[in-house]
Amino acid sequence: MISVKDIGAIIVKFKNTIIYLLLYVLVVSSISFPFTGNIILRMRDDLLVGQYILIQTQPLELMMLQLKMSIIIGIIAALPVLFYLAYKQVKERKLGHRLKISKLKLALWLISALALFTVGCAYSYYLMLPFVFQYLLQSAVDVGVANHWKVTEFINFAIMTTFVFGLVFELPLVMTILARSGIVPVEIFKRYRRHMYIVILIVAALVTSPDVITQIMVGVPLIIFYELSLFLLRFTVKPSRANVA
């Protein structure tokens, strides 16, 4: 197992490089800031089709949105560097041997996590969000209401929903790791599936607009994916560890 001393040493080691990571994020954010306007236009064209107007209600609203987007881009760009530093520490201190994780297995877990996150984001951005926005736009038009949306709320909603779906698609991997390590037996996932349904619906309500239909369109796919994760556990976890016949 990893000791407190190991964790403390790693934190001290990272303190020496955190300033360089922050500078890296700052540089990438500064470079990407002029392009955030084009990103907003691209998101508008990809996700919105119909009668709508994007507006800003405060003088600095759009600029602050672009600043936040550029910082997010900088943080995302820094993640590979952060993962490399973490892997380097694991390798140097031979923590992988104590955790019984081979280099190949660690690499496969990381690649799988990245692939699942990417697929989840793509599903949200290219399939679900256009459908959700089209429904919302058309619903307003049908009752004679004009669609004047704040650009900040539109972008925040799109980014948050995409990010959440990226995390949700990590469910099979997370559940497999928890089950294979014996932390959470598969039987627990099955026994408390109804509780998970409630949690999923709450998450769907938090990341969507206050519209029941939209929440259902987000929540139902998440529930289906949870059930799919349970199905995949039959093939990724040994019966002895899953405590199932």
Side-chain angles (χ1 to χ4, degrees), residues 10 85-96 106:
I10 292 175
L85 292 175
Y87 172 77
K88 187 177 180 181
Q89 286 298 308
V90 171
K91 182 179 179 181
E92 288 180 355
R93 298 183 176 276
K94 299 180 180 180
L95 301 179
L106 179 61

Side-chain angles (χ1 to χ4, degrees), residues 29-49:
S29 298
S30 300
I31 294 175
S32 62
F33 180 81
F35 302 98
T36 52
N38 292 330
I39 295 175
I40 294 175
L41 290 175
R42 179 61 184 270
M43 293 179 67
R44 181 201 66 182
D45 295 339
D46 288 343
L47 302 177
L48 297 179
V49 178

Side-chain angles (χ1 to χ4, degrees), residues 72-83:
I72 292 174
I73 293 173
I75 293 174
I76 293 175
L79 288 179
V81 179
L82 187 61
F83 287 149

Side-chain angles (χ1 to χ4, degrees), residues 13-32:
K13 185 73 173 182
F14 269 105
K15 285 178 63 178
N16 298 327
T17 58
I18 192 67
I19 184 66
Y20 298 105
L21 278 175
L22 291 176
L23 288 175
Y24 178 74
V25 170
L26 179 62
V27 171
V28 174
S29 298
S30 300
I31 294 175
S32 62

Side-chain angles (χ1 to χ4, degrees), residues 141-154:
V141 172
D142 289 343
V143 296
V145 177
N147 289 294
H148 289 188
W149 291 352
K150 292 179 62 176
V151 62
T152 302
E153 294 182 355
F154 163 67

Side-chain angles (χ1 to χ4, degrees), residues 67-209:
L67 178 61
K68 183 169 68 174
M69 292 177 65
S70 65
I71 293 175
I72 292 174
I73 293 173
I75 293 174
I76 293 175
L79 288 179
V81 179
L82 187 61
F83 287 149
Y84 170 76
L85 292 175
Y87 172 77
K88 187 177 180 181
Q89 286 298 308
V90 171
K91 182 179 179 181
E92 288 180 355
R93 298 183 176 276
K94 299 180 180 180
L95 301 179
H97 294 293
R98 273 179 269 178
L99 292 173
K100 298 181 180 179
I101 301 176
S102 64
K103 294 180 181 179
L104 178 59
K105 183 177 292 188
L106 179 61
L108 289 176
W109 284 124
L110 292 176
I111 292 173
S112 299
L114 179 60
L116 288 172
F117 184 81
T118 302
V119 172
C121 290
Y123 167 80
S124 174
Y125 186 85
Y126 292 105
L127 294 179
M128 195 203 72
L129 279 178
F131 179 79
V132 170
F133 282 127
Q134 182 61 31
Y135 167 79
L136 295 175
L137 290 171
Q138 191 58 46
S139 296
V141 172
D142 289 343
V143 296
V145 177
N147 289 294
H148 289 188
W149 291 352
K150 292 179 62 176
V151 62
T152 302
E153 294 182 355
F154 163 67
I155 296 297
N156 286 343
F157 177 81
I159 292 177
M160 179 62 69
T161 304
T162 299
F163 179 75
V164 168
F165 267 86
L167 293 181
V168 166
F169 271 59
E170 302 282 357
L171 264 178
L173 188 63
V174 173
M175 292 171 65
T176 298
I177 292 175
L178 292 176
R180 288 177 63 90
S181 63
I183 298 176
V184 182
V186 177
E187 196 61 36
I188 296 297
F189 289 121
K190 294 181 179 179
R191 184 182 308 166
Y192 292 98
R193 58 166 24 114
R194 294 182 180 179
H195 299 78
M196 285 301 302
Y197 293 168
I198 296 176
V199 173
I200 288 173
L201 292 176
I202 292 175
V203 172
L206 292 175
V207 302
T208 60
S209 60

